[in-house]
Amino acid sequence: MEASRVVLSHLTALHLRKQSILPLSLSGVFLLRPPKTLLYHTKYSPFSTDTKSPSNGGKNGSPGGASSESHSIETPSQDETKAHSYSLSNPGPAISPSSVGRPDSPPADWDENPDLNISAFSQLPSNNFGINQHMLINDEFKEALRQILWQFRAPIRYAFAYGSGVFPQTATPSGKSSSSLHPKPSAAISTVQGGEGKMIDFIFGVSYTQHWHSLNLQQHRNHYSAVGSLGSYVVSRVQDKWGAGVYYNPYITVNGTLIKYGVVNLDTLCRDLSEWDTLYIAGRLQKPVKILRDDPRVRLANQVNLISAVRTALLLLPPTFTELDLYSTIAGISYLGDPRMSLPTENPNKVANIVQNQLPNFRRLYAPLIDNLPNVSFKDPRCSQAEWAEDPSTNASIAQDMDPVKRGNMVRRLPKSFREKLYFQYQSKFQIPRLEFNKMLEASKDEDPTRFRRRQGGSFDQKVAGDDQGSLSKEVSVAIKKTIAWPSKSQTVKGLVTGGFGRTIKYLRAKWQKWKDENGKEKEKKRKKLRDGEKEK
C-alpha cells in the first residue's frame, strides 16, 4: 500500500508543477481543474480526465442530442471541433455534481463481474478508475500525435499510439536523422525521437467497421492497397473475419510524419481485452501506450486485461522476485508464440529493452494493481522513498503468497478463453475423463443471467495452481502460445495483402536493418566487456 501511495503522490506533485490549478467550490469539496494529462488517483486529485464540457446541452453531451462516434480523453479545441461533422460526446469523467459522492477507489471485487456494456465514464467502478493506463509524455509531442488523429474524418472512438516511435526501447539514439524517414516531422516529434526517425504506430477503435472504411476510403484512398479498390464491404470483411480482427495501413504520411495505423472494431477490442481470445491487441496494451482518445468500455476491459496479466505472470514466477522479473514476464506474454520472434527481423532482447527503458511507466501501469491484490506486495524499503516512483535504477523486490486457495482463485479469474485453454492442458495432464471435465467446465461458467457468481477457485483450480512451479510455467506458456500463434500468423499473412507488396517489402527491409543495427550494438557491448575484463587482469 505504501509503495502505491508513493507512486501516486509523487507523480501528482510532479505533474501539478507543470499544470495550472484552478480551485473550484462544489458542495464544499475542493476541486482541481482537470489537467491535460491523467495521473494516478490520489486523495488530493479528484479529477481523472482532461476534458471540456460540451458547449451545449445536447443529449449525451453531443450537439442537439446527436449520437456520438467518439469519446475523448483530451478533447480538441473549438476550431478542431468545427472541422468535423461529428462531436466528442461524453468525453470522460470530468468534475461534475454526479461524480461527487462516488468512491475514489474501486471496490476490491470490481473485476468479479464487470459490466462491459457501459456507455459512460460515470458508470465505471470509481471516479478515477483505470487512470493508471494513461502515460505522461511531452505535451508538445502529445499534441502532435493528437493532430494526426484529426486528419481523419472517419470517427475514431478510441485511439492509442505505441511502440518505439513513442516510447524509446534503447537508452541511446542510433544517430540516424529523422528526416530520412519522416518527410516533414514536427519539431516535437524530431526532438522526442532524438533524431532517429521511427515510424509511429497507432490503433484506432471504431464502432462500425464498414462505415468507417467507407468514409476513410473516400478521404484517403491512397492509404489502402489494391484491396481498397474492392470497396468498404470487402475491406471490412478482411478486417473482421481474418486474423486478429485488425486492418493495418502501413507507411502512411500524415502531417509530414510516417505512421502505421491499425483499425479494430470496439467489440473485437473489448472481447480480446476481457477474454484473451487472441491476445493481439490485449498484448500491446499490457505495455505502456499513449492513449489519445478514451472510451469507458475499453478502459474497463483494459483494466481487466492488466490485472489478468499480473495474475498470469504470478503463476509463472517464484515466491519472491523483482520488479524487472514481473514486468519482463508481463511484457513477454504477447511475444510467446508470435512467429515474428523466430525471424531475424526481431531483436531477441526486445522484451528486456522495453522494460529496462520504460521501468517508471511499467511501475505506473501496474503498481496500483499489485497494491490491490491480496496475495502479492512490494517488500522493499526503497518503495517508501519519494524518488522511487521515477527512479529507473531501483529494482524493488516483490513477494507473493503461494497459498493454494489464493492461487486457485487466480486461476479461476483468468480470462475466459485463455482459462479454458489452460483447463484443457491440465485435463490431458491429469487424464480427467471427458464427461467429468465437461461437467466441471459447465460449473465454472461465468455467465449466469439469474444470479451473481463469485469467481472462487474450486478443487481443480487449486490442483492446477498447486502443480510444481516448473510444470505450471510450462503449461501456462503452452496455453499462451496456443492463444497467440494462429491469430498472429494469420494476421502476419493478412498484412501482406492489406499493406500491399511494395509496402510489405519496405517494412521487412526496415525491420531487417533495425535488427542488424541492434545486433551490432549488442556485439559491440560484449566486445567492450571482454576488453574491460582483460584490462582488469
Side-chain angles (χ1 to χ4, degrees), residues 36-98:
K36 292 185 177 179
T37 318
L38 289 177
L39 294 172
Y40 282 137
H41 151 66
T42 75
K43 61 182 179 180
Y44 304 111
S45 57
F47 55 80
S48 61
T49 60
D50 170 27
T51 63
K52 298 177 183 178
S53 298
S55 58
N56 60 50
K59 182 180 178 181
N60 294 327
S62 57
S67 62
S68 166
E69 284 288 338
S70 179
H71 293 258
S72 174
I73 202 67
E74 293 158 331
T75 56
S77 66
Q78 290 182 350
D79 290 340
E80 291 171 326
T81 305
K82 289 177 182 177
H84 290 73
S85 59
Y86 64 97
S87 68
L88 302 174
S89 81
N90 191 9
I95 298 304
S96 66
S98 63

Side-chain angles (χ1 to χ4, degrees), residues 1 3-4 132 306-307 310-311 314 321-323 326-327 330 362-363 365-379 388 397-399:
M1 180 68 73
S4 182
N132 56 303
L306 295 176
I307 201 166
V310 174
R311 287 173 174 145
L314 291 177
F321 48 92
T322 66
E323 278 188 288
L326 175 64
Y327 304 147
I330 291 173
F362 273 95
R363 197 173 279 151
L365 196 58
Y366 289 106
L369 298 177
I370 295 170
D371 190 52
N372 288 328
L373 285 172
N375 58 323
V376 61
S377 59
F378 288 97
K379 297 293 183 183
W388 168 70
S397 59
I398 304 174

Side-chain angles (χ1 to χ4, degrees), residues 254-429:
V254 179
N255 284 0
T257 304
L258 199 66
I259 71 168
K260 176 181 74 175
Y261 65 91
V263 183
V264 62
N265 187 278
L266 284 181
D267 291 337
T268 302
L269 173 58
C270 290
R271 185 171 59 252
D272 191 34
L273 291 173
S274 60
E275 298 184 11
W276 285 13
D277 56 348
T278 69
L279 265 171
Y280 194 82
I281 300 296
R284 281 155 177 75
L285 283 165
Q286 288 165 5
K287 297 176 277 292
V289 304
K290 180 54 189 173
I291 297 172
L292 301 166
R293 290 187 188 169
D294 207 355
D295 177 87
R297 188 159 64 110
V298 179
R299 191 192 290 190
L300 177 58
N302 192 31
Q303 202 74 345
V304 172
N305 172 46
L306 295 176
I307 201 166
S308 298
V310 174
R311 287 173 174 145
T312 302
L314 291 177
L315 292 173
L316 293 166
L317 290 166
T320 58
F321 48 92
T322 66
E323 278 188 288
L324 282 177
D325 293 332
L326 175 64
Y327 304 147
S328 296
T329 302
I330 291 173
I333 287 174
S334 62
Y335 294 113
L336 283 173
D338 190 335
R340 296 174 301 173
M341 295 306 294
S342 62
L343 301 174
T345 54
E346 288 291 350
N347 184 356
N349 301 310
K350 185 170 186 175
V351 171
N353 289 341
I354 290 173
V355 175
Q356 289 170 4
N357 290 285
Q358 297 182 49
L359 184 56
N361 284 334
F362 273 95
R363 197 173 279 151
R364 175 180 174 83
L365 196 58
Y366 289 106
L369 298 177
I370 295 170
D371 190 52
N372 288 328
L373 285 172
N375 58 323
V376 61
S377 59
F378 288 97
K379 297 293 183 183
D380 198 310
R382 291 173 293 182
C383 297
S384 62
Q385 300 171 5
E387 62 272 15
W388 168 70
E390 289 294 300
D391 183 8
S393 64
T394 299
N395 184 19
S397 59
I398 304 174
Q400 65 167 317
D401 189 344
M402 304 300 282
D403 176 68
V405 174
K406 291 181 179 179
R407 286 174 69 79
N409 289 340
M410 285 203 306
V411 172
R412 179 67 185 82
R413 293 167 187 174
L414 292 173
K416 176 185 173 184
S417 295
F418 175 72
R419 185 181 71 239
E420 288 178 354
K421 290 182 178 67
L422 184 62
Y423 281 176
F424 278 112
Q425 290 290 119
Y426 274 95
Q427 181 216 3
S428 176
K429 179 175 180 176

Side-chain angles (χ1 to χ4, degrees), residues 1 103-114 125-126 129 303 307 311 368-369 371-375 413 452 454-456:
M1 180 68 73
D104 288 329
S105 299
D109 60 350
W110 67 266
D111 64 324
E112 287 280 359
N113 192 27
S126 64
F129 183 85
Q303 202 74 345
I307 201 166
R311 287 173 174 145
L369 298 177
D371 190 52
N372 288 328
L373 285 172
N375 58 323
R413 293 167 187 174
F452 175 78
R454 289 188 65 84
R455 294 195 289 168
Q456 298 291 336

Side-chain angles (χ1 to χ4, degrees), residues 137-182:
I137 64 172
N138 175 273
D139 284 341
E140 289 76 18
F141 183 47
K142 176 184 68 178
E143 183 61 26
L145 297 177
R146 292 178 60 233
Q147 289 299 323
I148 288 174
L149 297 186
W150 284 100
Q151 303 310 308
F152 292 85
R153 289 198 293 267
I156 301 168
R157 187 160 181 168
Y158 180 84
F160 66 88
Y162 68 101
S164 59
V166 182
F167 299 98
Q169 296 177 7
T170 56
T172 56
S174 63
K176 292 185 178 182
S177 172
S178 62
S179 61
S180 62
L181 182 70
H182 302 302

Side-chain angles (χ1 to χ4, degrees), residues 179-193:
S179 61
S180 62
L181 182 70
H182 302 302
K184 194 178 179 181
S186 69
I189 290 175
S190 296
T191 301
V192 169
Q193 292 194 346

